[in-house]
Amino acid sequence: MMRNLNRIFKILVPLLVAVLLAGCTTSPTGRNQFMMISEESAISQSAQAYTQTMNEYDQKGQLSKDRALIDRVNEITGRLIYEALIMRPDTRDWKWSMKVIDDPKTVNAWSMAGGRMALYTGLVEKIKPTDDELAQVLAHEIAHALAKHTAEKMSVAMASSLGLIAVAVATDNRNVAAGASAAALVAITLPNSRTAETEADQIGIELAAKAGYNPHAAVTLWQKMSKESGSSSFDFLSTHPSSGKRIERLDGVVPGVMQYYEEQKPHPVYPL
């Protein structure tokens, strides 16, 4: 027992030092972010997690074959990604991906590091968003990727689990590596902080406006979400909480981005 405690102590101290010395990066809005995991590492782990998740849906026959819906989603997503590449040119090397999951009971959408995204048919069927409103959902998810929120959530989760990691290593637990790679999957279900949500709202509404989608749709989308959530359990709201203050805040952002929406310019589509 004492031997294990000594091993844990020897491992835990360097880990705690690592937390204190963890690098800070800056989000697109200029916010300082705590990072124990680099964006590159988060992207690598997310690639594995995304492939695993989509293979599971494929085996269950749950990847949508609705060509009209897929084309609609890809058109909107492609226009948004084109603007995202202008906002963050380094993301041209990302393997941008969008999958539509055939699950009418699930009202949700998510993104991983590196631009890997998914949308559930339940969101389209229950919310019945216009193209402008659907663009707000997808732009919000792209904004999470641009702002490195997956890496940030993984970093916070790792920092809060240092004790468990130390015990696992000290007792020669072979699942440590697997647990680390699974962090990307866990990050999908973890709720974003209020700061991250506000940031994704701000970036997303601007991104959608630049792609030619009406910013007012951000307000009507969340009004629909709030109205429908009273009679349904929305997975989207578990990770993207809605409130009157959020709608009010989005409404206040609209005037500042209308100039982008009103620009007369073509809207190229990134191929997916």
Side-chain angles (χ1 to χ4, degrees):
M1 179 67 177
M2 184 60 66
R3 181 182 178 184
N4 278 343
L5 286 175
N6 288 335
R7 292 185 68 188
I8 291 171
F9 182 77
K10 289 179 180 179
I11 295 168
L12 187 57
V13 170
L15 287 173
L16 290 173
V17 172
V19 171
L20 295 174
L21 298 178
C24 285
T25 63
T26 304
S27 73
T29 64
R31 177 177 63 88
N32 289 330
Q33 296 173 290
F34 166 77
M35 293 290 188
M36 286 187 70
I37 297 176
S38 68
E39 185 177 36
E40 291 74 17
S41 177
I43 289 173
S44 176
Q45 293 182 41
S46 292
Q48 299 174 42
Y50 190 77
T51 298
Q52 175 187 333
T53 301
M54 292 309 145
N55 284 342
E56 291 174 359
Y57 280 121
D58 191 24
Q59 290 171 7
K60 296 176 184 177
Q62 284 189 280
L63 291 183
S64 178
K65 295 178 176 62
D66 184 339
R67 196 68 253 170
L69 176 58
I70 293 171
D71 288 346
R72 179 191 178 197
V73 171
N74 285 349
E75 165 80 17
I76 296 171
T77 306
R79 282 170 59 171
L80 294 168
I81 292 174
Y82 183 86
E83 294 299 331
L85 298 182
I86 296 174
M87 185 177 289
R88 268 195 67 184
D90 60 305
T91 64
R92 292 181 183 279
D93 295 330
W94 287 6
K95 304 298 182 183
W96 291 93
S97 306
M98 167 56 76
K99 296 293 184 182
V100 179
I101 299 169
D102 187 6
D103 185 347
K105 293 183 179 180
T106 300
V107 179
N108 204 8
W110 48 258
S111 67
M112 287 181 168
R116 293 172 173 85
M117 297 169 282
L119 172 73
Y120 294 78
T121 56
L123 189 148
V124 178
E125 294 177 17
K126 292 183 181 293
I127 300 299
K128 296 178 173 55
T130 64
D131 282 359
D132 289 309
E133 290 168 343
L134 185 55
Q136 301 300 325
V137 172
L138 301 175
H140 182 92
E141 295 308 325
I142 290 173
H144 277 307
L146 293 177
K148 301 173 258 188
H149 289 162
T150 296
E152 194 170 15
K153 283 197 290 184
M154 290 170 67
S155 296
V156 171
M158 283 190 69
S160 63
S161 303
L162 284 177
L164 293 177
I165 293 172
V167 171
V169 174
T171 56
D172 297 320
N173 189 318
R174 303 297 181 182
N175 294 321
V176 174
S181 62
L185 275 173
V186 174
I188 298 174
T189 59
L190 288 175
N192 289 286
S193 67
R194 290 183 180 179
T195 299
E197 281 298 291
T198 299
E199 191 167 58
D201 281 346
Q202 180 180 339
I203 296 170
I205 195 171
E206 178 181 332
L207 200 63
K210 289 179 175 179
Y213 295 104
N214 195 329
H216 287 288
V219 176
T220 59
L221 168 73
W222 283 104
Q223 287 173 336
K224 284 184 178 181
M225 286 281 192
S226 297
K227 181 179 179 181
E228 294 297 326
S229 64
S231 57
S232 305
S233 177
F234 282 12
D235 299 77
F236 193 74
L237 295 183
S238 67
T239 52
H240 301 74
S242 176
S243 70
K245 288 185 178 179
R246 183 176 204 158
I247 294 173
E248 183 180 342
R249 186 175 64 248
L250 284 167
D251 194 37
V253 174
V254 170
V257 297
M258 280 300 293
Q259 57 179 319
Y260 303 123
Y261 172 62
E262 292 169 349
E263 286 181 4
Q264 298 298 316
K265 68 172 188 177
H267 298 292
V269 178
Y270 179 92
L272 290 167

